[in-house]
Amino acid sequence: MELYDASILLVEDDSFARTALEGLVKNLGFKNVVLCDGVSSAMSAIESFAPSLAIVDLDLGEGPNGIDLVIALRRRLPDLGIVVLTTYSSPRLLGVSSMQIPLGVVYLVKSDLTSSRVLLDALTQCWENGAKDSGQSRDSSVKDLATRLSDQQIDIMRLIAHGHSNSEIALRLFVNERTVEKSISRLIKTLNLNTDKTQNQRVRISQAYFGLAGLVRRSETSF
C-alpha cells in the first residue's frame, strides 16, 4: 500500500481546528480520513476502522490527554504511525514526560506547521518508521528555552499560570515551600525576567508559560 492510500484517524477536540486539519490532509491527497473529537470517540472508531496513521492533538480538554490516547492506540494497533500535533512547544508544559511518548511518534508543534509540506513530512516519517525508534529525540520539536528548564520548573510554571499559591504548589509537588521559593528564584533567572519589584513576577512567569504553550503570541512575552 502506498502512503496516499493510508487511512488516517484525526483526533482534535476543537471543531474549527478539526475541520481545518481535515481540509489540509485531504488537500495533500489522503482520501480516507475519520474525524474524532476525543479519546472515547477515537477508541470507538477503531472498532470498525483500522487506520494506518493518526494525527492526535495533545490537549483534548478535560479528562485523558492525547498521550493517553496514543498509548491506548498503540496497544491496540502496534504498527500505527502517529503524529502528535499541539500548540505546546514541549509535552512537559502539559505535565507529560517526554519518556511517556511511545517510540516513533512524531511531535509536531502547530506553530511549526507553516505549510502542508511540514505535515506531509511528519506523516511520511511515521509511515516509514511505524512504531520503530527513528533515532531522533521523542521531543525533537521542543524549543530551546523549554530544554533548559527542569521538569520541576515547568511544573511550577504551569501551576503558577493556573493560579496556585506557593503552599498549594508545595503540596502538589510533595516539597516544602522553601524549595518552591528557591525554584521560582532560579526560574526567574533562567527566563531572564526583569527583577524590578514593581512588576509582578508571577504574572511574568505565567506569560512565559503561556508563550511556550503557544497560547499567546511570542511577541507578547519578553523572554
Side-chain angles (χ1 to χ4, degrees):
M1 183 170 64
E2 299 296 326
L3 172 63
Y4 289 103
D5 295 324
S7 52
I8 296 181
L9 179 71
L10 197 163
V11 188
E12 165 65 67
D13 64 322
D14 181 83
S15 59
F16 178 80
R18 190 166 58 247
T19 300
L21 275 171
E22 179 190 21
L24 184 60
V25 169
K26 288 188 173 180
N27 283 339
L28 285 171
F30 296 93
K31 297 180 176 61
N32 194 7
V33 183
V34 170
L35 306 181
C36 297
D37 61 2
V39 174
S40 178
S41 59
M43 295 306 294
S44 295
I46 63 171
E47 293 295 329
S48 57
F49 171 75
S52 302
L53 295 168
I55 301 171
V56 179
D57 186 28
L58 177 61
D59 186 359
L60 294 173
E62 295 295 327
N65 60 39
I67 298 304
D68 296 321
L69 175 58
V70 165
I71 292 170
L73 288 172
R74 270 289 176 77
R75 287 196 186 114
R76 294 286 300 276
L77 303 167
D79 296 325
L80 181 66
I82 303 173
V83 174
V84 171
L85 186 62
T86 178
T87 60
Y88 292 80
S89 61
S90 166
R92 295 188 299 154
L93 293 163
L94 198 58
V96 176
S97 165
S98 297
M99 294 306 296
Q100 290 177 261
I101 302 178
L103 295 176
V105 170
V106 175
Y107 188 90
L108 182 60
V109 181
K110 289 181 179 178
S111 61
D112 293 337
L113 194 58
T114 53
S115 71
S116 59
R117 182 71 198 185
V118 175
L119 181 58
L120 179 59
D121 287 346
L123 290 169
T124 301
Q125 183 180 336
C126 288
W127 177 257
E128 293 174 349
N129 292 318
K132 300 188 296 296
D133 191 348
S134 64
Q136 299 177 336
S137 166
R138 292 176 174 84
D139 196 11
S140 59
S141 294
V142 173
K143 303 303 181 185
D144 290 341
L145 177 59
T147 63
R148 299 202 307 269
L149 299 172
S150 69
D151 288 345
Q152 186 181 77
Q153 285 177 317
I154 285 181
D155 282 339
I156 288 174
M157 286 181 73
R158 177 166 48 84
L159 292 169
I160 287 174
H162 291 164
H164 294 285
S165 66
N166 284 3
S167 60
E168 290 171 331
I169 292 172
L171 285 172
R172 286 173 176 265
L173 299 184
F174 303 102
V175 297
N176 58 51
E177 283 190 58
R178 182 60 180 158
T179 298
V180 174
E181 291 169 0
K182 288 181 179 179
S183 294
I184 290 174
S185 295
R186 288 193 293 270
L187 186 57
I188 288 171
K189 291 180 180 179
T190 302
L191 295 173
N192 196 28
L193 298 181
N194 193 322
T195 55
D196 185 345
K197 292 184 179 180
T198 63
Q199 299 191 36
N200 187 316
Q201 297 302 329
R202 298 181 83 83
V203 171
R204 301 292 300 284
I205 290 171
S206 296
Q207 290 174 334
Y209 171 80
F210 289 125
L212 284 172
L215 301 178
V216 297
R217 295 189 302 275
R218 292 300 176 90
S219 60
E220 294 175 4
T221 63
S222 58
F223 63 92

